[in-house]
Amino acid sequence: MTSSDSRVPSTPSGSGYRHELYPYRGAQEFLEGTVGFIREALDGGEAVVVAVPEEKVTLLRDEIPDDCTVRYVDTTKVAHYPGRLIGAWKEWIEEHAAQGRPVRGIGESPWEQARSRAELEELRYHEWLLNKAFADGPAWWLLCPYDTGGQRAALQQMSRCHPHVRAGGRSEPSPDYDPQAPFDFAPLSHPCDPYDEFVYSSGDLPALREKIATCAELLGLESRRLRELHMAATEVAANSIRHGGGIGVLRTWSEDHRLVCEFRDLGYIADPLAGRLRPTPTQIGGRGLWLAHQLCDLVEIRSTPDEGTVIRLHIELPS
């Protein structure tokens, strides 16, 4: 595996990126905070990208219709693939920045529609990664509405991912945000019994693909989705062999109506954004994890210098 530091540095002075949490309860509070934010942006000649669940898009369109300065995006589908979200925001923001206009964004994931605990955790991780992804990018302001529903513990977790919190129409520094602290991952779930295990090294990729195919076919996964899983698994396993000490361990099982392929090795992925940004045409390496995010329904990556790397690829099983 490749290597870099997993700590997010403080936002550089003058970078211009502002990441703000907006806790609210119910539709009325959602509108009070977001409509004012949009109108303030439009009054200042800024463009706005609104990426929220479909029902929230409907609420906002009734107040502020689409035009060339306000773009609405339904996050219901794209947010089910957390590893693709930063790439999507990069495209949305750069599109407006290229026109020479300041940009504001409103981003809310469909938390209540998350399909598993693992997906919820990756959505929260995405919020934390935004601080690193845009630290050196174009100047823009992202407001993240979050329906608390009285969940104090969940709100504190979200506050740790945002440098600023908005309340009562005012923005204050988040008391829970530490730019030097690593992300506080929840422990990975235990593999479901029964699970298969296979130790692989150089020359074992065909056997590894066969192991995955046997498990997948028993669960009804075949054709295009199996080919895509094979491609993603080959990339991850090859990285284990190349960067993880020459050997890795594959485990396969099913949970939450998904096939899970877990890869363990002794390597270290130091860049927390690995696989989340589209590789450039001249880039050397770094395409395997990006491809895995594009082909799989969910990718979980946990990596430390002391314990090595665990990568889980999730593929939804047919109904």
Side-chain angles (χ1 to χ4, degrees):
M1 299 295 168
T2 56
S3 145
S4 71
D5 190 49
S6 62
R7 295 170 180 264
V8 173
S10 302
T11 303
S13 175
S15 72
Y17 174 59
R18 184 180 182 88
H19 191 199
E20 189 169 294
L21 178 67
Y22 171 51
Y24 71 92
R25 293 194 66 175
Q28 186 58 41
E29 280 194 12
F30 171 82
L31 286 174
E32 286 173 2
T34 54
V35 169
F37 185 79
I38 295 172
R39 286 180 173 154
E40 183 181 291
L42 297 180
D43 289 345
E46 301 171 71
V48 184
V49 177
V50 181
V52 296
E54 182 178 10
E55 67 274 13
K56 304 292 178 57
V57 170
T58 301
L59 286 174
L60 285 170
R61 275 202 177 111
D62 288 342
E63 299 289 332
I64 302 176
D66 303 65
D67 61 22
C68 61
T69 55
V70 180
R71 176 182 179 182
Y72 289 103
V73 180
D74 174 10
T75 59
T76 305
K77 292 183 179 179
V78 67
H80 282 312
Y81 308 95
R84 305 178 194 175
L85 272 170
I86 285 177
W89 272 111
K90 284 273 188 184
E91 292 180 6
W92 298 333
I93 298 306
E94 287 172 1
E95 176 184 333
H96 287 286
Q99 301 170 9
R101 303 191 65 172
V103 186
R104 291 197 194 192
I106 296 178
E108 181 179 24
S109 296
W111 300 97
E112 295 180 357
Q113 299 173 37
R115 297 169 294 188
S116 66
R117 188 178 68 174
E119 188 173 292
L120 273 174
E121 183 72 354
E122 290 302 309
L123 284 171
R124 187 170 70 93
Y125 186 38
H126 158 74
E127 295 288 340
W128 184 85
L129 284 174
L130 281 164
N131 300 300
K132 182 171 180 63
F134 290 98
D136 299 316
W140 70 294
W141 185 351
L142 177 61
L143 182 73
C144 296
Y146 183 71
D147 194 342
T148 61
Q151 301 178 47
R152 198 171 189 81
L155 177 58
Q156 186 177 41
Q157 286 185 329
M158 290 297 290
S159 183
R160 291 184 186 133
C161 300
H162 295 79
H164 298 87
V165 178
R166 173 172 292 230
R170 297 185 60 183
S171 175
E172 300 287 347
S174 168
D176 302 306
Y177 177 73
D178 180 354
Q180 301 305 323
F183 184 75
D184 58 328
F185 283 110
L188 288 172
S189 61
H190 292 291
C192 295
D193 285 327
Y195 64 83
D196 291 326
E197 187 168 291
F198 175 65
V199 179
Y200 59 89
S201 58
S202 180
D204 290 332
L205 292 181
L208 179 139
R209 286 190 289 268
E210 184 61 33
K211 287 282 186 182
I212 292 174
T214 299
C215 180
E217 288 167 0
L218 286 173
L219 296 169
L221 187 71
E222 53 189 12
S223 303
R224 179 179 65 86
R225 288 304 279 151
L226 178 54
R227 291 193 298 272
E228 290 172 343
L229 175 58
H230 269 160
M231 190 179 301
T234 299
E235 292 288 344
V236 173
N239 276 346
S240 286
I241 296 168
R242 187 177 304 115
H243 304 293
I247 191 170
V249 178
L250 166 71
R251 290 176 176 176
T252 55
W253 68 89
S254 64
E255 68 175 63
D256 294 326
H257 204 65
R258 292 182 177 190
L259 169 60
V260 182
C261 296
E262 178 190 89
F263 301 82
R264 289 179 175 265
D265 63 51
L266 297 177
Y268 173 46
I269 301 176
D271 181 5
L273 291 171
R276 295 182 182 252
L277 300 175
R278 181 188 293 273
T280 64
T282 58
Q283 181 176 324
I284 298 174
R287 289 172 171 76
L289 286 178
W290 180 82
L291 191 63
H293 278 293
Q294 307 312 304
L295 296 174
C296 299
D297 292 296
L298 190 71
V299 179
E300 296 177 276
I301 301 174
R302 306 289 185 269
S303 190
T304 66
D306 297 330
E307 299 181 6
T309 294
V310 179
I311 296 178
R312 289 184 176 181
L313 307 180
H314 297 239
I315 293 284
E316 279 198 21
L317 297 172
S319 300

